[in-house]
C-alpha cells in the first residue's frame, strides 16, 4: 500500500532505547483502526539520539564517583541524564559558548535526524514525497526545530525536497 503521510518521531531528554516510539506508533495505529482508517497509510520513522550523548555522561559519572564519596547517586544520575542532554547539545568542547556555533555533538545529532529522514524517504515512501508530520517530545522539539531551520535556511541541493523539509506539514511537540 502506498503511504499517504510520513511521521517522524524524536525523543526528548533522559535515557531512551532505540524502540522508544513503538508504543506511540501502536497507539496511533490502534486509534486509526478504531476510527475506521487504515493505519498502513502512515510511514513511521523514529530518531534515536541518546546513544550519542550517553558515553560521555556515563564516563563523567564514573569518574566523579571514583574521585570522591558522593551521596545521592541515583539523584545525581537522574539529574545528569536529564540536564546533561541539553548542556551537551550546544556546548563547545572547551566549555566556552558562542552564539550560533555548531558543535560536534550538534552535528552528530543532526546527522542522525538527516539519516532518519533519508531512511523514511527512500524506504517506506519509495522516493515519493508526501506530507510530513514531525512529532517531538520535550528537548527533541528543540533539536528538530534547529534541524528544520538549518535545512530550510541553508538548503543542501543534493537532498530531495522532502529531505530539505519542504514537505513538512505539521510539527507537534509534547
Amino acid at each position: 500500500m502506498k503511504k499517504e503521510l510520513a511521521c517522524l518521531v524524536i525523543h526528548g531528554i533522559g535515557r531512551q532505547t532505540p524502540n522508544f516510539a513503538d508504543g506511540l506508533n501502536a497507539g496511533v495505529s490502534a486509534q486509526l483502526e478504531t476510527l475506521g482508517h487504515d493505519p498502513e497509510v502512515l510511514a513511521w520513522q523514529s530518531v534515536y539520539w541518546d546513544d550519542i550523548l550517553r558515553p560521555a555522561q556515563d564516563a563523567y559519572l564514573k569518574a566523579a564517583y571514583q574521585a570522591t564519596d558522593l551521596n545521592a547517586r541515583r539523584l545525581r544520575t537522574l539529574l545528569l541524564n536529564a540536564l546533561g542532554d541539553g548542556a551537551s547539545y550546544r556546548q563547545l568542547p572547551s566549555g566556552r559558548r558562542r552564539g550560533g556555533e555548531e558543535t560536534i555533538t550538534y552535528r552528530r545529532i543532526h546527522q542522525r535526524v538527516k539519516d532518519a529522514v533519508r531512511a523514511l524517504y527512500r524506504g517506506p515512501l519509495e522516493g515519493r514525497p508526501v506530507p510530513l508530520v514531525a512529532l517531538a517530545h520535550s528537548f527533541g522539539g528543540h533539536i528538530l526545530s534547529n534541524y528544520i531551520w538549518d535545512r530550510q535556511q541553508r538548503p543542501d541541493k543534493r537532498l530531495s525536497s522532502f529531505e530539505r523539509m519542504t514537505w513538512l506539514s505539521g510539527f507537534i511537540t509534547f
Side-chain angles (χ1 to χ4, degrees):
M1 166 172 285
K2 287 192 176 184
K3 304 299 183 182
E4 297 175 17
L5 181 67
C7 298
L8 184 72
V9 183
I10 186 168
H11 66 79
I13 62 173
R15 292 293 184 238
Q16 302 294 329
T17 60
N19 63 346
F20 73 92
D22 290 355
L24 175 66
N25 300 359
V28 170
S29 294
Q31 187 65 32
L32 285 172
E33 283 182 340
T34 299
L35 296 171
H37 300 286
D38 185 359
E40 292 299 314
V41 300
L42 297 180
W44 290 94
Q45 180 65 49
S46 61
V47 180
Y48 172 69
W49 53 269
D50 180 53
D51 61 322
I52 294 171
L53 302 179
R54 186 178 297 188
Q57 291 173 359
D58 289 347
Y60 172 81
L61 279 175
K62 182 178 179 183
Y65 292 149
Q66 288 175 347
T68 187
D69 185 25
L70 296 174
N71 294 325
R73 286 181 178 231
R74 287 179 47 194
L75 179 60
R76 289 175 190 276
T77 301
L78 172 68
L79 287 173
L80 181 67
N81 292 341
L83 302 177
D85 290 352
S88 301
Y89 177 61
R90 295 290 290 239
Q91 188 70 25
L92 294 173
S94 65
R96 292 175 287 118
R97 286 191 53 122
R98 291 186 215 129
E101 186 168 342
E102 295 177 3
T103 65
I104 293 169
T105 302
Y106 180 93
R107 289 192 299 270
R108 287 182 67 203
I109 291 172
H110 282 223
Q111 183 63 48
R112 188 69 59 86
V113 176
K114 181 179 177 181
D115 293 345
V117 173
R118 173 172 281 157
L120 179 60
Y121 180 65
R122 295 185 179 179
L125 298 181
E126 300 172 339
R128 288 183 329 103
V130 300
L132 171 65
V133 173
L135 305 166
H137 178 253
S138 183
F139 191 70
H142 179 67
I143 292 170
L144 204 49
S145 176
N146 287 335
Y147 180 81
I148 292 164
W149 190 94
D150 289 349
R151 291 286 70 78
Q152 292 182 347
Q153 297 301 311
R154 298 180 285 188
D156 183 344
K157 298 297 181 185
R158 296 171 294 181
L159 300 176
S160 69
S161 63
F162 183 85
E163 292 168 295
R164 288 193 309 266
M165 306 303 283
T166 58
W167 284 81
L168 182 66
S169 299
F171 187 15
I172 300 166
T173 61
F174 50 96

